[in-house]
Amino acid sequence: MANSSELLDERTRLMPLARGPGWGLIICLMASTITLSVGLINLNRYLMQPHRFPFASGLVLIHMAFCSVFATLLRILVPSMFPALTDPSQKVKLDKRLFFTGILPIAACFASSLILANMSYQRLSLAFLQMMKETGIVSTYVFSLMAGLELYSFRHVQVIMVALLGATLTVQGELNFSMVGFVIQLFSQLSDCARVVLQSIVLSGQKLDAMSYVLLVSPVCFSLLCGVCAVVEVLPARMVALGLLMPPMEVTRAWAPLLLGSCVIAFLLNISIALLIKNSGAMTYIFSGVMKDIFAVLSSVYVVHETVSPLQIVAFSIQILAVIAWGMLKNDPVAFQDGLFAGVVNTLVRRRSAESLIDKPKAAAVAAAAAAAA
């Protein structure tokens, strides 16, 4: 018969900490990620108004400079946060091929998506823009098919059709629709989806963590934007959109506190995302993204006092369900063999079964330890 010390060792081995971070930490990381993301969205939209700081390129340039400097400092002070650059077992080989075929085009897509996203704030409501972003799964899947990263699946097409239905209803329900703003946001999303696909192609098999990614991409984005800004400055002002112009120094000084706040929030968001990805699974990250979009829409309605039509509420609900179903499908495609609804039910049932299998040995160990102590 096992003695009490052996039972205690077994109980300790089966405690949740041995299996990974607790739910308390994950919930805190999710809350910080959602809060920082929604705060950054609202602050950038506030700055992008024509009578404030409507210089999208300038804002992204300042962000990239700030992230480059502070990511470098963090790399020096806390190298463990950059395992792809410091850990010998996870280190990614940095060479010319990776730079010219990976980091450079990824940085170009990233910079263009950020600039266009900031420009769209001037023409469309925040709620509508967040609803549009839910259709990113459509273009990402199409690009992935073209690149050979995905195989055609009728289940994927079903989810995409649901997402497209929600997007169509969102456009029809928009009360202050702008075709120019819609096109700008569309190209922003296409650039971002191209970035995601490029990452999958170039970085396949290479474990590049979020913070290492920021440290590698931010300086390249900054350099590219400096080149673009230099070209823009020599062109006649009438040929360049306001968002692409560099801000006058006096305007930058006037809005410096809010610009600094935007940079700090953006950098903290990168750290929060990195920690969330490290300590949680794919579904948790997808769920936090869904919650972020919901809170962003709610903040636009109740804080910014934007108007959302009843049709858009229905459309956004459909899009949210499509994104959740998409995450479940990508995480466990076998569960969806009998249909979308059956797949969602099977995924939830399997998750509960897995949790019960984990909890039973732990409960047995605790009970045994208690009996031995008695």
Side-chain angles (χ1 to χ4, degrees):
M1 184 176 178
N3 57 40
S4 59
S5 62
E6 290 174 339
L7 289 169
L8 187 61
D9 290 341
E10 178 67 7
R11 181 187 65 179
T12 304
R13 184 179 67 81
L14 292 169
M15 288 297 284
L17 288 176
R19 293 186 279 112
W23 275 107
L25 174 61
I26 294 176
I27 291 173
C28 288
L29 290 172
M30 286 179 62
S32 66
T33 301
I34 293 169
T35 302
L36 291 169
S37 183
V38 174
L40 183 63
I41 290 169
N42 281 278
L43 180 55
N44 286 350
R45 184 187 182 280
Y46 177 83
L47 286 169
M48 281 295 105
Q49 299 309 303
H51 58 288
R52 295 191 182 105
F53 193 88
F55 305 98
S57 293
L59 180 60
V60 177
L61 185 68
I62 295 171
H63 275 192
M64 292 300 109
F66 186 93
C67 287
S68 299
V69 172
F70 278 84
T72 302
L73 291 175
L74 205 58
R75 162 69 175 81
I76 296 171
L77 298 175
V78 194
S80 60
M81 291 190 68
F82 302 81
L85 302 178
T86 60
D87 188 344
S89 63
Q90 303 181 45
K91 201 167 185 178
V92 173
K93 183 181 179 181
L94 302 177
D95 52 22
K96 291 182 179 179
R97 180 181 176 277
L98 177 63
F99 177 79
F100 287 106
T101 63
I103 301 299
L104 185 61
I106 288 172
C109 291
F110 187 41
S112 60
S113 68
L114 292 176
I115 292 172
L116 293 171
N118 286 334
M119 290 176 66
S120 66
Y121 287 137
Q122 302 172 9
R123 298 178 179 272
L124 291 170
S125 68
L126 178 58
F128 180 70
L129 290 173
Q130 289 304 124
M131 293 176 188
M132 276 193 66
K133 289 179 181 178
E134 299 302 319
T135 59
I137 59 174
V138 179
S139 47
T140 301
Y141 182 65
V142 172
F143 284 176
S144 298
L145 281 177
M146 294 170 61
L149 298 175
E150 291 274 5
L151 297 175
Y152 173 81
S153 166
F154 181 64
R155 292 286 174 260
H156 286 101
V157 174
Q158 283 182 309
V159 178
I160 283 174
M161 294 303 293
V162 174
L164 286 175
L165 172 63
T168 303
L169 294 176
T170 298
V171 173
Q172 290 183 348
E174 176 59 20
L175 302 176
N176 300 298
F177 181 75
S178 167
M179 180 56 73
V180 175
F182 177 80
V183 172
I184 291 174
Q185 178 61 22
L186 181 62
F187 276 99
S188 171
Q189 291 184 205
L190 290 175
S191 296
D192 194 52
C193 292
R195 174 186 64 84
V196 172
V197 174
L198 279 172
Q199 285 177 197
S200 300
I201 296 173
V202 178
L203 303 178
S204 177
Q206 304 191 58
K207 297 180 179 179
L208 189 62
D209 57 276
M211 290 307 300
S212 297
Y213 176 87
V214 171
L215 181 57
L216 292 175
V217 172
S218 295
V220 180
C221 282
F222 177 79
S223 302
L224 290 174
L225 287 169
C226 286
V228 171
C229 292
V231 173
V232 167
E233 285 300 309
V234 301
L235 294 175
R238 64 179 182 277
M239 295 178 58
V240 183
L242 178 61
L244 298 177
L245 294 173
M246 288 303 294
M249 188 56 65
E250 58 271 17
V251 176
T252 304
R253 282 197 297 264
W255 293 100
L258 286 181
L259 292 173
L260 178 61
S262 179
C263 290
V264 172
I265 294 173
F267 189 67
L268 291 176
L269 178 60
N270 284 322
I271 296 176
S272 182
I273 289 174
L275 293 174
L276 181 61
I277 293 173
K278 179 180 178 180
N279 291 283
S280 67
M283 279 306 301
T284 302
Y285 184 65
I286 290 171
F287 178 73
S288 67
V290 170
M291 293 303 297
K292 179 262 295 183
D293 293 331
I294 293 173
F295 279 111
V297 172
L298 291 176
S299 69
S300 70
V301 173
Y302 292 104
V303 178
V304 187
H305 302 295
E306 294 180 343
T307 303
V308 175
S309 67
L311 182 59
Q312 283 184 308
I313 296 174
V314 175
F316 187 52
S317 301
I318 293 173
Q319 290 176 303
I320 291 295
L321 292 175
V323 171
I324 294 174
W326 180 268
M328 290 181 172
L329 177 59
K330 298 294 291 183
N331 193 52
D332 189 7
V334 176
F336 286 78
Q337 290 180 344
D338 297 327
L340 283 180
F341 181 76
V344 173
V345 173
N346 290 336
T347 302
L348 295 175
V349 170
R350 289 185 183 184
R351 182 177 294 274
R352 285 190 177 183
S353 299
E355 289 176 352
S356 64
L357 288 174
I358 291 173
D359 290 339
K360 283 179 181 178
K362 184 180 74 174
V366 172

